[in-house]
Amino acid sequence: MESLRLKTNYRCVPALQQFYTGGPFVVSSDNSFIACACGESIKIVDSVTAAIRSTLDADSESITALALSPDDRILFSSSHSRQIRVWDLSTFKCVRSWKGHDGPVMCMTCHPSGGLLATGGADRKVLVWDVDGGYCTHYFKGHGGVVSCVMFHPDPEKQLCDFVYPYLVPQFQLFPTIDFTFHFIYLTDHGEIGAQLFSGSDDGGDNATVRVWDVSKTKKKNCIATLDNHRSAVTSLAISEDGWTLLSSGRDKVITLWDLHDYSNKKTVITNEAVEAVCVIDSSSPFASSLHSYKQDAKKRSGSKAFYFITVGERGIVRIWNSKGAGCIFEQKTSDVTASVDDDGSRRGFTSAVMLPSDQGLLCVTADQQFLFYCLECTEELLQLNLTKRLVGYNEEIVDMKFLGDDEKFLALATNLEQVRIYDTASMSCSYVLSGHTEIVLCLDTCVSTSGRTLILTGSKDNSVSILPFDLMIVENALKFILWEEVLEVRLWESESANCIGVGIGHMGAVGAVAFSKRKRDFFVSGSSDHTLKVWSMDGLSDNTTVPINLKAKAVVAAHDKDINSVAVAPNDSLVCSGSQDRTACVWRLPDLVSVVVFKGHKRGIWSVEFSPVDQCVVTASGDKTIRIWAISDGSCLKTFEGHTSSVLRALFVTRGTQIVSCGADGLVKLWTVKTNECVATYDHHEDKVWALAVGKKTEMLATGGGDAVVNLWFDSTAADKEEAFRKEEEGVLKGQELENAVSDADYTKAIQIAFELRRPHRLFELFSELCRKREAEEHLDRALKGLGDEELRTLFNYVREWNTKPKLCYVSQFVLFRVFSVFPPTHIVEIKGIGEVLEGLIPYSQRHFGRIDRLVRSTFLLDFILSGMSVIEPEAQPTESKTKLLLQSDIHIPDTENDIEERDDTPEITASKKRKSKSSRHGSHKKVKNVAFNRVESIPLQA
């Protein structure tokens, strides 16, 4: 048997993060990314994997409007602060900002040329801005309410050509030999038909208008037309492919088609739902191809071609219309959205829709922050709208999660919603959603039945328990969904869809804990806030079950005095353990729920219980910040683990019961070793409480989720870390030998580079110290410094800062610092990331060192002054003649040489006769005699 290897480390991979909280969003022209409003920031999200590329901290206010330039290089944003910001997406930095509106900017759009930006605000104004200059070019007033949408004509040049062509054709027919190029250019330059801007608003009451504005410089009257047909807020605008039909949608449940030749109402389409978005289908898209093969009725009428358009709204269904007969040619039979109800009673299904470029289908956004990607297929005269991908922008609070199936490729999430969302762990895209619970889903569990079906068990606040089969065909076909309700009503949405196969009703409170049996998988256990524990039989369920059956409770017991938070079934299905808010955990014998033992000792409620896979013990996690292991035989506490700083919410066994993984309200995930009570590792990758923890049965991969709506996947990296450490150690040995060889060869440049690679500051100091004693130190050091990058240069400054704090090492550090500033310009150094803090640490100690040297130099000047005053030293620059003149001018008499010698000879006698007690006089020091200018000590010239 293979020896058991304890885990020492897990590698965290952020799998699912919140990126959209509702509001504006824009899609790039190639559908490679989506810019979404996420609270007070903007998230740039990969449209394939939902990975967050970048986060733009726009403002301290919620984002209200977004727009992209046609080349996807510039992003425009605005918030409730009325600040319009321009972002460079190559650097993700704000390059320009300004204010212009008196209220929040509610919508914005960029001109197809990229040079103009139009904004509409709550101040009833429409402004056009020069993007490069940041100044207002047009100021439009006229709306009576909040401007809800703005749009430039997508192709003004095409519109111009179509307008001029009817006037030129007769001229060509009458005068075929005349060149009419001049006339065409004349009309273009004089702007007879300039660029047009459309804006829609809610003017209050029963009136909403669409206005057409002229942004050319020749027109004196800016408002070309006022289109009045809506009785509620205008939500969306679209232009037909030929450029001569404007579509406007509103919450008054109508779509209006406007003729841009004379701005008349061509047609009004009644939709019977509040429409949030209207999109025109391009004739070259797969959508149009499928529609043409389905209906061969696209004919010309009144000189214009028929086109198709899509509408989405409050009902949460997609509908396709034909402009020719204003009839709906396709409608989804079932909705992929759980329509929410606002406070005012209105339903909200879809909030927006966009036709994706590059023939990538349709993107619809739901009121619960989901991005649904659709494609249209036509098979045997039957249209099908297939849901190809689902990205969930916001999951709210994640309360529970479990892996699905034997291969554990899917992850079931219970969030702070009435839905259960199933995610593919490879792409972390939402495969499908289980909708139907009338209240929040609090817990779930999964298992693989004896027949091989994967079952999902859910418990909700609506006091019901449901069992559903998990079918991989649902994920592959991506259009089959399950809907069940608290009562025994089941809705079958597609012929091949899976169904709710069992419903258990009987609890009088919210079901907060559920667990499948581990071996036979023929029963499950539920615990509720009504303090009861129930065992439910799964007898009667078969593989061919299509109608849900009413599950019956085999046993019921009043288990606790307070809410039951967690239940667990023993590996052999003989026992069940329940943990409650009453600070106790109880073990019950199945199937009759006979009490076996009660675990008492926790000081707060118990949030999690789990049986050991190999021993007769139970692990509990409590609000008293501790984890305990209890013996089932006598109820004694075997182990206590302390380390969390807040309530421990989950604790599960890993590594065959020899280790424990826990998570808590402090946002930490900890790995413990049972034998030594040691916390092996602590991970801080969550910003809020970690409510949910799932462990893969085979791979022992971890998944955590919590209040921050983030799901992290954890992979065991013990073996990889060990291998990496061994590889680094081996490389270190080889590099160390290479370093010693370079030093022995006096190749200091190479030695310094290797020392940097090995991160050996002490060896690096020794090299610099040795270089300081060389004559060619500056040349070697400059050559080595020139090969350093910015990161290595910052590391060098950190080393120099540490050396500079010690007086013994400061001389080398100052020498290196001087050479660094000699090689690199200061402008380059200050641009290094994080260098400011390092330089601030260098300044005080450098000032102290220079102050000490300055005091030392000044003290040497004092010594020179004293010695000069004593005439012991003479300045070398003083001429001999100056000395003579100075001595002649003095009052001191200079005796003859002979007398001087005689007097010097008599000096010892005079000194001895005075009998001085000074020790210095005994050692031969001589006292100056009156009228004697020089003693026997010869003057020492001072060298420069």
Side-chain angles (χ1 to χ4, degrees):
M1 183 177 179
E2 184 181 358
S3 60
L4 189 63
R5 297 180 180 179
L6 297 179
K7 297 176 176 58
T8 59
N9 191 24
Y10 273 92
R11 178 171 51 88
C12 176
V13 178
L16 185 64
Q17 303 179 35
Q18 62 179 18
F19 59 85
Y20 180 64
T21 55
F25 72 95
V26 285
V27 185
S28 63
S29 59
D30 58 353
N31 192 28
S32 61
F33 67 88
I34 307 173
C36 309
C38 186
E40 300 172 356
S41 62
I42 304 171
K43 304 286 187 179
I44 309 299
V45 183
D46 190 291
S47 59
V48 178
T49 62
I52 298 177
R53 295 185 181 181
S54 180
T55 300
L56 308 179
D57 296 325
D59 212 331
S60 59
E61 301 285 345
S62 299
I63 304 299
T64 57
L66 291 173
L68 265 175
S69 63
D71 57 2
D72 298 333
R73 296 181 179 179
I74 302 296
L75 175 67
F76 306 93
S77 69
S78 185
S79 66
H80 281 289
S81 66
R82 300 174 292 154
Q83 193 82 12
I84 299 173
R85 299 179 183 272
V86 182
W87 302 87
D88 186 353
L89 294 184
S90 61
T91 60
F92 299 107
K93 293 183 179 180
C94 180
V95 296
R96 197 177 300 110
S97 65
W98 65 83
K99 283 187 178 181
H101 286 270
D102 297 329
V105 178
M106 305 307 297
C107 54
M108 59 173 56
T109 184
C110 189
H111 192 268
S113 65
L116 297 177
L117 175 71
T119 58
D123 56 359
R124 311 175 184 178
K125 301 174 184 176
V126 177
L127 304 180
V128 181
W129 307 88
D130 184 275
V131 173
D132 296 330
Y135 58 86
C136 181
T137 61
H138 296 80
Y139 181 91
F140 300 141
K141 294 178 64 176
H143 283 292
V146 177
V147 181
S148 56
C149 54
V150 290
M151 184 187 68
F152 280 105
H153 196 286
D155 194 356
E157 294 182 358
K158 182 175 182 178
Q159 181 188 9
L160 175 65
C161 296
D162 292 342
F163 186 83
V164 174
Y165 179 75
Y167 297 94
L168 294 182
V169 169
Q171 306 300 327
F172 278 112
Q173 294 175 351
L174 294 175
F175 307 99
T177 60
I178 299 178
D179 185 8
F180 285 90
T181 306
F182 172 79
H183 299 280
F184 179 79
I185 297 176
Y186 178 84
L187 290 174
T188 304
D189 291 342
H190 283 71
E192 294 295 333
I193 302 176
Q196 291 182 350
L197 174 67
F198 308 93
S199 61
S201 69
D202 182 6
D203 295 340
D206 293 334
N207 188 25
T209 60
V210 177
R211 290 181 178 265
V212 185
W213 311 92
D214 182 62
V215 294
S216 66
K217 298 180 180 179
T218 59
K219 288 283 186 181
K220 295 182 179 180
K221 184 180 179 181
N222 289 320
C223 184
I224 302 175
T226 300
L227 313 181
D228 186 4
N229 187 49
H230 290 281
R231 297 296 175 263
S232 185
V234 179
T235 57
S236 178
L237 299 171
I239 296 288
S240 63
E241 190 175 3
D242 62 2
W244 284 108
T245 303
L246 172 68
L247 291 84
S248 61
S249 65
R251 295 195 177 102
D252 54 358
K253 304 182 180 181
V254 297
I255 302 290
T256 306
L257 280 67
W258 306 90
D259 190 343
L260 294 184
H261 290 93
D262 54 2
Y263 305 106
S264 62
N265 185 351
K266 294 174 59 176
K267 200 165 296 181
T268 299
V269 182
I270 300 176
T271 61
N272 295 320
E273 70 167 336
V275 181
E276 296 294 335
V278 56
C279 305
V280 174
I281 300 176
D282 195 320
S283 60
S284 61
S285 67
F287 267 71
S289 301
S290 299
L291 292 172
H292 281 303
S293 61
Y294 178 64
K295 294 283 187 180
Q296 296 292 338
D297 59 353
K299 299 179 180 179
K300 294 183 179 180
R301 183 179 181 184
S302 301
S304 63
K305 293 183 178 180
F307 59 89
Y308 301 103
F309 60 92
I310 294 175
T311 61
V312 297
E314 63 179 0
R315 293 173 56 189
I317 61 174
V318 179
R319 292 194 284 182
I320 303 177
W321 307 76
N322 190 344
S323 65
K324 179 180 178 181
C328 180
I329 62 175
F330 174 79
E331 179 178 345
Q332 273 186 303
K333 296 181 180 179
T334 60
S335 175
D336 300 332
V337 185
T338 303
S340 60
V341 180
D342 291 340
D343 296 335
D344 58 357
S346 60
R347 297 178 60 194
R348 295 192 67 196
F350 287 123
T351 59
S352 184
V354 176
M355 288 299 299
L356 297 176
S358 304
D359 302 335
Q360 298 185 37
L362 174 69
L363 169 62
C364 297
V365 181
T366 68
D368 56 354
Q369 298 89 37
Q370 298 185 53
F371 290 81
L372 307 183
F373 295 80
Y374 289 100
C375 68
L376 188 66
E377 293 183 0
C378 178
T379 57
E380 298 180 358
E381 298 185 356
L382 177 64
L383 281 177
Q384 291 184 351
L385 191 65
N386 297 335
L387 178 63
T388 58
K389 185 169 51 178
R390 181 195 300 259
L391 302 181
V392 179
Y394 188 60
N395 274 305
E396 295 198 15
E397 199 165 6
I398 299 172
V399 295
D400 201 2
M401 62 172 62
K402 289 292 187 298
F403 286 103
L404 286 174
D406 291 331
D407 51 3
E408 299 171 358
K409 292 183 179 180
F410 296 91
L411 186 66
L413 263 64
T415 64
N416 198 17
L417 297 171
E418 302 85 1
Q419 305 170 345
V420 176
R421 293 170 174 171
I422 311 299
Y423 285 87
D424 186 348
T425 57
S427 62
M428 285 314 293
S429 61
C430 185
S431 300
Y432 69 97
V433 175
L434 307 179
S435 301
H437 271 298
T438 58
E439 292 290 342
I440 297 171
V441 178
L442 298 176
C443 56
L444 58 87
D445 196 12
T446 62
C447 79
V448 179
S449 65
T450 54
S451 61
R453 289 194 304 172
T454 300
L455 303 178
I456 303 173
L457 174 65
T458 60
S460 172
K461 220 172 182 180
D462 58 10
N463 309 345
S464 67
V465 185
S466 299
I467 302 179
L468 298 105
F470 174 79
D471 192 352
L472 190 59
M473 291 296 295
I474 300 174
V475 181
E476 294 176 350
N477 295 335
L479 61 117
K480 299 147 182 88
F481 302 94
I482 306 167
L483 178 64
W484 77 96
E485 297 182 358
E486 179 181 353
V487 296
L488 296 182
E489 178 184 354
V490 174
R491 300 177 184 179
L492 185 61
W493 296 108
E494 287 292 336
S495 59
E496 297 179 3
S497 62
N499 299 309
C500 177
I501 60 176
V503 177
I505 300 177
H507 280 293
M508 302 303 295
V511 180
V514 292
F516 273 115
S517 64
K518 297 296 187 294
R519 176 178 292 180
K520 296 181 180 179
R521 297 159 190 172
D522 58 351
F523 71 90
F524 65 89
V525 183
S526 65
S528 171
S529 60
D530 60 4
H531 313 165
T532 62
L533 187 68
K534 292 190 177 185
V535 179
W536 303 84
S537 174
M538 293 169 58
D539 296 337
L541 297 179
S542 63
D543 296 342
N544 299 324
T545 300
T546 57
V547 178
I549 65 172
N550 189 6
L551 302 175
K552 296 182 180 180
K554 297 169 57 178
V556 181
V557 65
H560 294 273
D561 297 330
K562 292 186 179 180
D563 296 359
I564 297 177
N565 296 326
S566 178
V567 295
V569 178
N572 59 359
D573 288 348
S574 62
L575 302 173
V576 61
C577 182
S578 60
S580 171
Q581 204 64 29
D582 63 1
R583 298 176 291 179
T584 64
C586 300
V587 177
W588 312 85
R589 191 176 306 280
L590 292 172
D592 299 328
L593 293 179
V594 178
S595 179
V596 176
V597 67
V598 178
F599 303 136
K600 296 181 179 180
H602 280 294
K603 299 178 182 179
R604 292 287 187 273
I606 296 175
W607 289 103
S608 174
V609 295
E610 180 75 9
F611 281 96
S612 171
V614 292
D615 296 324
Q616 296 293 321
C617 60
V618 174
V619 62
T620 59
S622 170
D624 60 5
K625 310 175 187 178
T626 64
I627 303 168
R628 295 173 184 256
I629 296 180
W630 309 83
I632 299 177
S633 57
D634 56 1
S636 62
C637 180
L638 303 177
K639 297 273 187 179
T640 301
F641 303 87
E642 297 180 355
H644 281 279
T645 58
S646 189
S647 300
V648 186
L649 303 176
R650 287 286 188 276
L652 300 177
F653 282 104
V654 293
T655 324
R656 300 179 194 169
T658 59
Q659 290 184 297
I660 297 173
V661 176
S662 65
C663 60
D666 52 6
L668 301 179
V669 178
K670 289 180 175 287
L671 177 64
W672 309 81
T673 299
V674 174
K675 184 177 181 180
T676 61
N677 279 45
E678 177 188 3
C679 179
V680 179
T682 300
Y683 308 99
D684 186 8
H685 290 270
H686 285 276
E687 298 178 357
D688 206 340
K689 300 174 182 176
V690 184
W691 287 105
L693 173 65
V695 178
K697 296 179 181 179
K698 293 184 177 180
T699 61
E700 292 202 340
M701 177 178 63
L702 305 182
T704 57
D708 55 0
V710 174
V711 175
N712 290 328
L713 296 179
W714 306 77
F715 300 91
D716 179 19
S717 60
T718 303
D721 291 345
K722 187 176 181 180
E723 183 179 352
E724 181 68 17
F726 177 77
R727 186 183 61 81
K728 287 184 177 180
E729 183 179 359
E730 186 178 17
E731 289 181 356
V733 173
L734 296 176
K735 285 287 185 180
Q737 184 61 45
E738 190 176 355
L739 173 61
E740 297 302 326
N741 294 339
V743 173
S744 61
D745 296 339
D747 189 355
Y748 291 100
T749 302
K750 183 178 180 180
I752 290 173
Q753 291 177 351
I754 296 175
F756 265 112
E757 293 177 6
L758 296 177
R759 294 294 187 268
R760 295 183 181 179
H762 180 68
R763 192 70 179 101
L764 194 62
F765 176 81
E766 292 178 350
L767 292 173
F768 287 144
S769 179
E770 188 174 349
L771 269 177
C772 290
R773 296 189 291 267
K774 301 287 184 179
R775 288 186 178 182
E776 301 176 353
E778 296 182 356
E779 181 181 351
H780 285 287
L781 189 56
D782 291 354
R783 194 183 306 116
L785 293 175
K786 289 179 181 178
L788 300 180
D790 290 348
E791 185 65 25
E792 294 176 335
L793 199 58
R794 188 171 64 86
T795 304
L796 176 60
F797 271 103
N798 284 322
Y799 294 160
V800 170
R801 182 181 59 178
E802 296 299 323
W803 301 337
N804 201 44
T805 59
K806 301 176 182 179
K808 293 182 179 180
L809 310 180
C810 68
Y811 303 104
V812 176
S813 65
Q814 290 296 323
F815 173 71
V816 175
L817 195 63
F818 175 73
R819 297 316 308 167
V820 169
F821 279 96
S822 299
V823 174
F824 299 97
T827 55
H828 174 75
I829 294 176
V830 296
E831 292 178 355
I832 299 176
K833 185 179 180 180
I835 199 64
E837 182 181 354
V838 180
L839 294 178
E840 288 178 1
L842 277 168
I843 292 174
Y845 284 97
S846 297
Q847 290 176 344
R848 183 180 300 179
H849 298 326
F850 282 115
R852 186 173 67 252
I853 294 174
D854 185 61
R855 290 192 299 272
L856 180 61
V857 172
R858 281 186 292 173
S859 64
T860 59
F861 289 158
L862 179 62
L863 178 62
D864 292 343
F865 175 75
I866 294 174
L867 294 177
S868 298
M870 295 173 61
S871 301
V872 175
I873 61 176
E874 292 180 353
E876 186 179 0
Q878 185 177 2
T880 308
E881 297 180 358
S882 300
K883 297 179 187 178
T884 308
K885 291 180 181 179
L886 183 62
L887 293 174
L888 291 175
Q889 292 176 1
S890 63
D891 295 333
I892 302 175
H893 175 69
I894 303 176
D896 297 336
T897 305
E898 296 179 358
N899 296 334
D900 184 22
I901 296 172
E902 292 176 357
E903 291 179 0
R904 290 178 184 175
D905 295 337
D906 295 340
T907 300
E909 297 178 0
I910 298 172
T911 304
S913 63
K914 290 188 177 182
K915 299 180 180 180
R916 287 186 174 270
K917 296 181 180 181
S918 176
K919 295 181 180 180
S920 59
S921 63
R922 299 193 199 107
H923 293 292
S925 61
H926 302 280
K927 184 174 183 286
K928 286 188 178 181
V929 184
K930 186 177 180 181
N931 297 331
V932 177
F934 303 96
N935 53 24
R936 279 189 296 180
V937 180
E938 296 180 358
S939 61
I940 304 172
L942 181 63
Q943 296 181 359

